[in-house]
Amino acid sequence: MAEVLHDGPAHCPHMSPAWRFAICCKIHCRPCLWGGQRMTAFRVDTLPDAIRNEVARLKRAGFPLLPLGGADGKSPLMRVWAGPDVTLARILAPMHRTGSQVYGVRLDGLAVIDCDSDDSALVAQMEARFGTSPVHIKTPRGRHLYYRAAGAVPNLRGEGLPVDIKTGARSYVVGPLSLRPDGGFYDPAKGLLGKDALPLLRCAASLMPAPILTGHRHVELVKEAMRMVELVDSAAELQANLAGIRDDWCVDPGTMPDDELRDIADWAWKCRLENRIYRGRDSAFPVRRLALDALRGAANGADAIALLVLLEDQHGHSPGKRFPLDFDAMRAAGLLNLSKPRLRAARRTLEGAGLLRLVGRHRAGSRPQTFALTRSHSGIGVGGNVQSLSGTRRSTEASKSGGRV
């Protein structure tokens, strides 16, 4: 018989040893001795009946599920979950153990339109395009629309829409009635998942994405990560989205390991934290302070700085790039509103400061003058430890001109 170390109802002589043990653990939550060995107290159950019953109902209806948790409530609580079907016990056990009230619906045979905004116009636009969904789940940030999968899906992020279409055995969404640690609730807003028949996601053939070929997969997934990173809640969620893209769009996805996706997701997440998310013209380029210092003292310094900034914007991303200076075209495009004489003077000032050099001479009827941006190194030619290399064209010309080139 168990020896109970507590006072109170556990010492009742009419109570069986099993009940005595249960009461002391569940009520007092202090250690007990059972057969001379110290036992660990039972964990108080924190999983509400509603979420437990919903998980069991969807499991009986044939939906593949997985337990979620972690700081954001959306990370899988199982190391391996994308393989064979996971039993109900394996889903509920880690949720009981961690106190999580979040589970995921795996999208094997399913497709979910994940809107980042609960804007009725956006939802209507999605249903007009892909068909009406009988099941809507209101998420903490937007809305989930459920469908049956119908093959490849378009990249709506690439179209500038705040929407993902998630599908595939390695993708999942947070399930109905889930409650995240931050209070975010997944509220059924229309229909009942598992009861209302889901239609096929209607996708036009012209919207199907071209497969991402081997040799281009890493670069394309980096681009996808940068499109999505500001619209996810964690690097883990971003990695899960990238895994879906890899599995659905990439050629030979089995040769692209999860570690590579994790590195891409972590890098993109770091860029977001450091405010380094650039897209198209919403980006930055450097202008060296030494260059500005060299131009401020010139009579037309402001014109020269304006021309330098324009050239850095247009050509500075490709070191050594050669380009013509067509002032008429620049003025017609509205890039600068300076007169041609002022632009020519600004060009000469940049050349004099060592920031621009002529690299190709004009050839009548076939080739315009071409220039390249250079970096000014003030004082490098007059240092006591700098000497021209013998045998070079520059040193030969310098000797003939008395040191002037």
Side-chain angles (χ1 to χ4, degrees):
M1 181 177 295
E3 178 184 356
V4 181
L5 301 182
H6 307 306
D7 297 328
H11 284 289
C12 176
H14 303 291
M15 191 170 292
S16 68
W19 276 105
R20 197 177 300 157
F21 173 74
I23 289 176
C24 75
C25 291
K26 292 286 279 185
I27 297 178
H28 298 283
C29 294
R30 292 170 57 189
C32 307
L33 294 178
W34 185 271
Q37 295 182 353
R38 187 169 294 274
M39 305 295 291
T40 302
F42 291 138
R43 183 183 182 90
V44 176
D45 186 14
T46 59
L47 190 61
D49 289 340
I51 188 72
R52 184 192 299 109
N53 293 339
E54 182 72 355
V55 170
R57 184 186 68 81
L58 291 175
K59 185 64 181 172
R60 288 194 300 269
F63 287 85
L65 309 176
L66 74 156
L68 302 178
D72 62 355
K74 298 198 291 185
S75 300
L77 295 178
M78 304 173 62
R79 290 188 177 181
V80 179
W81 56 266
D85 197 16
V86 181
T87 64
L88 180 61
R90 290 186 64 200
I91 297 168
L92 293 178
M95 296 176 68
H96 280 287
R97 185 174 63 252
T98 62
S100 171
Q101 298 183 30
V102 187
Y103 69 99
V105 178
R106 293 170 50 196
L107 302 179
D108 188 2
L110 298 175
V112 169
I113 296 180
D114 182 3
C115 301
D116 288 339
S117 167
D118 195 26
D119 178 21
S120 59
L122 177 63
V123 174
Q125 178 185 359
M126 293 299 101
E127 291 195 304
R129 179 170 174 178
F130 299 104
T132 301
S133 170
V135 177
H136 289 203
I137 306 298
K138 190 177 184 304
T139 71
R141 196 169 52 179
R143 187 168 290 242
H144 288 166
L145 313 180
Y146 279 80
Y147 300 83
R148 284 185 293 130
V153 296
N155 175 15
L156 300 183
R157 298 284 180 191
E159 300 177 25
L161 295 170
V163 181
D164 289 309
I165 300 182
K166 298 180 178 179
T167 186
R170 293 187 60 87
S171 297
Y172 63 88
V173 293
V174 176
L177 300 184
S178 291
L179 178 64
R180 295 194 323 220
D182 62 1
F185 184 63
Y186 290 74
D187 187 15
K190 174 185 176 183
L192 184 64
L193 188 62
K195 180 180 179 181
D196 294 295
L198 299 178
L200 285 172
L201 183 73
R202 186 177 66 213
C203 291
S206 59
L207 298 176
M208 300 299 181
I212 302 175
L213 301 178
T214 302
H216 300 273
R217 299 178 302 182
H218 185 91
V219 172
E220 291 302 319
L221 286 178
V222 167
K223 293 178 182 178
E224 293 295 335
M226 296 305 285
R227 293 188 187 104
M228 293 187 291
V229 68
E230 293 184 297
L231 303 166
V232 297
D233 294 327
S234 66
E237 182 181 357
L238 180 59
Q239 181 184 343
N241 290 347
L242 293 176
I245 294 173
R246 174 198 61 188
D247 296 341
D248 295 338
W249 296 359
C250 290
V251 173
D252 198 12
T255 61
M256 193 171 195
D258 289 342
D259 288 345
E260 184 174 355
L261 301 185
R262 185 180 304 110
D263 290 342
I264 294 174
D266 289 344
W267 174 81
W269 189 256
K270 182 180 179 182
C271 289
R272 171 178 170 174
L273 296 179
E274 296 176 352
N275 197 27
R276 295 190 292 113
I277 305 298
Y278 306 128
R279 297 186 183 90
R281 296 299 296 172
D282 183 15
S283 58
F285 62 91
V287 176
R288 295 180 300 279
R289 291 187 175 90
L290 281 177
L292 300 180
D293 293 342
L295 298 174
R296 285 194 181 103
N300 63 337
D303 291 353
I305 290 174
L307 180 58
L308 175 65
V309 170
L310 175 63
L311 297 180
E312 290 283 4
D313 170 29
Q314 300 292 317
H315 309 293
H317 58 282
S318 300
K321 179 182 178 182
R322 300 185 175 201
F323 51 87
L325 282 180
D326 187 337
F327 294 134
D328 288 326
M330 293 165 61
R331 285 167 49 81
L335 299 177
L336 283 174
N337 60 359
L338 300 178
S339 65
K340 288 178 63 176
R342 290 175 63 181
L343 287 171
R344 292 193 188 97
R347 183 199 69 198
R348 290 192 293 268
T349 300
L350 293 181
E351 290 179 288
L355 301 170
L356 184 71
R357 65 187 178 94
L358 179 68
V359 293
R361 297 191 178 279
H362 171 73
R363 183 177 297 171
S366 62
R367 187 177 66 188
Q369 283 185 323
T370 53
F371 297 83
L373 290 167
T374 59
R375 179 172 295 185
S376 175
H377 298 280
S378 178
I380 194 171
V382 297
N385 62 339
V386 177
Q387 182 176 357
S388 299
L389 295 175
S390 60
T392 65
R393 178 181 176 185
R394 183 176 180 87
S395 63
T396 302
E397 292 176 350
S399 62
K400 292 180 180 180
S401 60
R404 297 185 301 275
V405 179

